[in-house]
Structure formats: C-alpha cells, structure tokens
Amino acid sequence: MVPIVLQNPYRSGNDLWLKGNLHAHTTRSDGTSEPEAVIAAYEGQGYDFLAITDHDLLVSPDAYQGQTSIVLIPGVEVSARGPHILHIGAKAVIEPDADRQRVIDAINASGGLAILNHPNFERHFNHFPQELMESLEGAVGVEVYNGLVERYSGAALASDRWDRLLSKEKWLWGFGTDDLHRPEDIAVAWIVVQAETRTADAILDGIRRGRFYASTGVTINEVIVNERTVTIHTEDAQRIRFITGWGGVIRSTVKDRTASWTVPDVPDLLERLKYVRIECYGEGGLAAWTQPIRMVLSEG
Ligand SMILES: [Zn+2]
Ligand SMILES: [Zn+2]
C-alpha cells in the first residue's frame, strides 16, 4: 500500500458553523438596494456574516456594524480591466491592474483574501480563462457556484473548472456566493464556516484554512478522516458523491445522508487521485460541496 496521509481541513469539536455570503452589491455600484437594506435582508435570513463587495469601491462596515447583529466583513470586487476577483478582508481598494497577478499580490500584501469569480459567466462561458486561473498564484479560492449567473449567460456552477485546477495541484478552496444585485438574488448560494467565535477574524481564519463548505441548500454536519477513510454526515442529502483528481472522477455514489469512502490502493495513486472532495445532493437539485481533502505521502 502506498503510505499516504489525508489532509482534512475540517475539525471535530465545538466549533460554531457560521453561514455567510461574501459577494453582494448595493446602490454604491450596480446593485438596486442601499447597503442598510442589503444588510437587513441577510440578517432577516438568519445569516451570521456578510461582505458587501461593490465594484472597485469599498463600502466600509464601520458605518453599519453598530446597527446590525450580522458580522460585516469588508470587501471589494476588483472588476475593471480583467476577470473579476473578490478582495475579502479589504482595508482599502486595490488598483484594478490588468495584470491580475499584481492584484492578487496586492490583496495578499494587505492581509486580505483573493477569490476568483464566476469562471463560467458570459455567453462564451469563459469569464475567467482556465489558463489564466492556472497561472495565477496566491488566490485562496474560486467561486464554484455564483447565484447571479443563474439569471445571466453562462453557468452558475463551475465545479468543472475547479476539478481541472485541483487536478493540476492548484489548491483553491471552493466558494458559493449570491453575487446579489437585486433582492431576489438572496440566499441562492452561500458558505458555512467552522469558527471558534462569531467574529470577522475567526471567520476569515476558518476560510483561509478551508474549514468551510459551499451550499445551495444542503447542510453538512461533519467531515471525518480516519486513516484512509473519509466519512461525511449531512442533515438532508439524498445522494453523496466522492470525486477525485485525474480530472474529476466520480469514485463512489451513495444514496443516503451519510457516506464513507476508503482510498483504494491503485497504481500511481497520488498521481491519479491527488484529492477527494464530496458533493452532496438534496431535494430539488440543491447541493453542497466540501473542500478537497489532499492526499500526500506520509513521512517514514
Ligand atoms: Zn463579477
Ligand atoms: Zn459581483
């Protein structure tokens, strides 16, 4: 057997699971609602955190945090002169340089998180060219589901792009967001983050470590790794799939809300599998996506 270790980003224990949206627009750019109304709408939906991310413009949470119980995280959508990149944990607007590597470098230098947006957006399904995504270094993740694209050209789902990246060892975490522009865009897709406390710092730390999943409606309770076996417990999945590298191969499908999968001892295991991630499907096509669990050679 090839000696491997599965790197599970999730923790067992007493963490909170906090629900949030990191992509929303207001009247400060091309959204239709004032920031106060957007914040109130997410609070009304029971969200724990929200980032308002207007185009190349920072709406500081300072003016609004005192009036809401939802945790506001500062953000910007870097938009002009190239494919869009979310800047989460923003302290200031990053210059939208046509060289997107410079944008990501500037975001990282300021302590923020960079997320590549809606890869399959637009009529050519190619808002974010694959080769460009593969060449960029330092982004924390990619939008695997962007709710706004449901009512625009292209595909809201980008798990195809994600598997291509992961198979080339571009370790990006997968995000679900609303990209809200109008009131009806709310609660299409979100993330749920494991965090010790309900604070912006703890949420951002959980995101950076991949302790979260993306969802359009399915709830995950736990992801456990025991040696070579991965087990997932969900609240309401009806079908669970285990997907690995070598281009997004479905290794197992289980019709249940709990499932396990054990890494087989195949030739060239690390080359062929590289990672396992889990897709959970529920009622009416709702879904949840775990982060990839990497496989690495164990020492000794
Ligand atoms: Zn965008
Ligand atoms: Zn947007």
Side-chain angles (χ1 to χ4, degrees), residues 23 25 53 55 77 84 117-118 148 179 181:
H23 194 165
H25 298 272
T53 53
H55 296 286
E77 184 173 15
H84 297 178
N117 288 340
H118 40 61
L148 177 72
D179 197 357
H181 283 71

Side-chain angles (χ1 to χ4, degrees), residues 198-248:
R198 198 172 176 277
T199 60
D201 283 347
I203 292 163
L204 290 172
D205 183 62
I207 291 170
R208 203 182 280 282
R209 294 168 188 271
R211 288 185 185 137
F212 67 98
Y213 66 89
S215 180
T216 57
V218 172
T219 299
I220 294 172
N221 294 328
E222 207 173 14
V223 180
I224 304 160
V225 168
N226 189 354
E227 296 187 351
R228 296 166 79 99
T229 300
V230 183
T231 300
I232 186 165
H233 297 287
T234 76
E235 198 70 34
D236 46 10
Q238 298 172 346
R239 191 161 54 112
I240 295 173
R241 283 179 156 170
F242 292 84
I243 296 164
T244 71
W246 205 253

Side-chain angles (χ1 to χ4, degrees), residues 72-148:
L72 297 176
I73 295 171
V76 175
E77 184 173 15
V78 180
S79 304
R81 295 193 274 282
H84 297 178
I85 297 174
L86 279 184
H87 174 194
I88 301 299
K91 296 182 183 78
V93 173
I94 298 291
E95 176 64 22
D97 197 305
D99 181 345
R100 280 339 202 193
Q101 187 60 60
R102 287 186 170 204
V103 170
I104 293 171
D105 290 346
I107 290 172
N108 285 328
S110 70
L113 303 177
I115 302 166
L116 312 180
N117 288 340
H118 40 61
N120 283 328
F121 175 40
E122 297 187 50
R123 279 194 296 174
H124 46 53
F125 288 72
N126 204 23
H127 176 84
F128 224 121
Q130 193 70 19
E131 299 69 26
L132 178 57
M133 290 201 292
E134 283 171 13
S135 73
L136 293 173
E137 299 286 344
V140 74
V142 57
E143 284 181 335
V144 168
Y145 202 96
N146 176 293
L148 177 72

Side-chain angles (χ1 to χ4, degrees), residues 163 167 243-249 251 271-276:
D163 278 314
S167 293
I243 296 164
T244 71
W246 205 253
V249 179
R251 300 281 169 179
E271 177 60 22
R272 284 179 174 273
L273 303 183
K274 287 192 198 302
Y275 66 94
V276 57

